[in-house]
Amino acid sequence: MPEVTAERASTRAAFADALPELAARHGVLVVDTDTGSVKPTAEMDYLNVGIAENAAIGLAAGAEHCGRRALVCTFGAFAVSRAFEFIKLDIAYPRRRVCIVGTHGGASGGWLGPTHHATEDLALMSALPHMRVVVPADAHQTAPLLEQCLRHDGPTYLRLGRKASPLFAGLPVPELGVPQVVRTGRDIALVATGPEMLSTALDVAHALADEGHSAQVVNVHTVDQEAAAATGRALAGECRLLVTLEEAWTSGGMGAQLAAAVGARGIPWLPIGVTGFLPPGTHASLLEAGGLTADSVLRQVLKFVTDPR
């Protein structure tokens, strides 16, 4: 059973380390928006267009139209806010083989504030037909999921954190679109996406066991509409309560899609995530303010267990 380790590492740093070799191997054109997240090498076809997200998306779409796979690296908040129309019409609609990498996912932008917090990206990108939306559980999962995005026959969005986040021992190698049951349980399903939320879900599951509740924990590293159906099938048949945890707005995000996928089963659902705009602050303080720490989530789940209406 996977456990949280004492170590931490950044998914963004893991991406930066893995990209040069993967881009060269798969013949990928890398388009950067002056993020500082790409380490260009002589073997990498690399263009830095500066802070021009729309141009980056259009350039990548054009390159793919001419036969080149492409990757765009930008801040998650800027990709979905500034370039969404270009992603919709130039990438998703024609099913371009372009991987859009959004860094500073969730509240990991910290002190940069609401302009840089990417809390709407999971809902917006998952709303697009053909788009696979991917959130590695930790730095170890980043490279294999990045390679799968680069090999995928269609558009992908890879969401990364900013700084060091939890690492997990014993987490299986991820497969695009396939949820991972990382803890078995009967009564409650805790479905989490992203490093911080998976760590919280595992801590809460341990605490629930002390209270006499059996909790299943599912790591969802692919959070789009197609993956929601697969996650629904992965839930234990005996689970009578569904709790979703995401470092994103709950309106339209991973939880909303999963709840829709399992709605016919009539399972009461508790969505836990960001419910509004977050002020500038440290990543840890923003998770606490948003009620996303293990102590806060445990209180919410215990209340839900006694009154799941």
Side-chain angles (χ1 to χ4, degrees):
M1 183 181 302
E3 295 289 343
V4 185
T5 72
E7 299 177 277
R8 296 173 68 88
S10 165
T11 55
R12 181 176 67 148
F15 158 78
D17 291 340
L19 180 63
E21 191 274 330
L22 290 177
R25 189 199 314 168
H26 295 285
V28 175
L29 171 66
V30 177
V31 185
D32 192 11
T33 57
D34 206 22
T35 60
S37 299
V38 178
K39 302 174 181 177
T41 63
E43 294 74 26
M44 181 193 296
D45 287 338
Y46 173 77
L47 291 173
N48 187 347
V49 299
I51 304 174
E53 289 78 12
N54 296 350
I57 294 296
L59 195 157
E64 198 278 344
H65 177 68
C66 294
R68 291 292 305 276
R69 286 186 178 271
L71 176 146
V72 175
C73 184
T74 185
F75 284 25
F78 301 160
V80 299
S81 298
R82 294 180 178 174
F84 188 75
E85 180 186 7
F86 290 79
I87 295 171
K88 170 187 170 184
L89 297 179
D90 294 347
I91 304 294
Y93 174 51
R95 302 191 188 193
R96 300 287 179 213
R97 297 173 303 166
V98 174
C99 176
I100 302 163
V101 177
T103 65
H104 296 61
S108 67
W111 285 104
L112 297 172
T115 56
H116 289 62
H117 296 159
T119 47
E120 73 278 28
D121 58 335
L122 298 188
L124 287 174
M125 298 301 276
S126 294
L128 292 170
H130 314 143
M131 182 69 69
R132 302 313 308 258
V133 182
V134 183
V135 188
D138 66 2
H140 296 319
Q141 287 201 340
T142 302
L145 284 172
L146 170 61
E147 179 163 25
Q148 290 174 53
C149 287
L150 295 179
R151 296 174 59 185
H152 180 63
D153 189 22
T156 55
Y157 174 68
L158 180 66
R159 185 207 227 204
L160 305 174
R162 182 189 181 198
K163 293 186 177 180
S165 54
L167 289 171
F168 304 91
L171 202 60
V173 176
E175 181 181 348
L176 192 69
V178 180
Q180 297 177 320
V181 178
V182 297
R183 180 187 173 101
T184 58
R186 300 181 307 277
D187 306 326
I188 306 165
L190 302 175
V191 182
T193 188
E196 304 290 351
M197 293 301 93
L198 181 57
S199 174
T200 293
L202 288 169
D203 288 345
V204 169
H206 284 301
L208 286 172
D210 294 337
E211 299 287 338
H213 303 289
S214 175
Q216 175 188 25
V217 177
V218 182
N219 169 41
V220 180
H221 51 67
T222 312
V223 304
D224 49 64
Q225 298 175 51
E226 183 178 343
T231 303
R233 292 190 294 270
L235 300 183
E238 302 88 348
C239 283
R240 59 185 181 85
L241 299 174
L242 171 63
V243 180
T244 55
L245 300 92
E246 55 193 313
E247 196 177 324
W249 284 340
T250 54
S251 52
M254 177 272 290
Q257 294 175 75
L258 178 56
V262 302
R265 291 163 61 175
I267 304 175
W269 167 48
L270 174 64
I272 294 178
V274 181
T275 56
F277 291 101
L278 296 172
T282 65
H283 193 184
S285 72
L286 295 178
L287 293 175
E288 184 173 1
L292 300 178
T293 61
D295 288 343
S296 177
V297 170
L298 178 61
R299 288 193 296 270
Q300 295 176 68
V301 173
L302 288 174
K303 181 179 178 181
F304 183 55
V305 169
T306 59
D307 184 12
R309 292 178 295 174

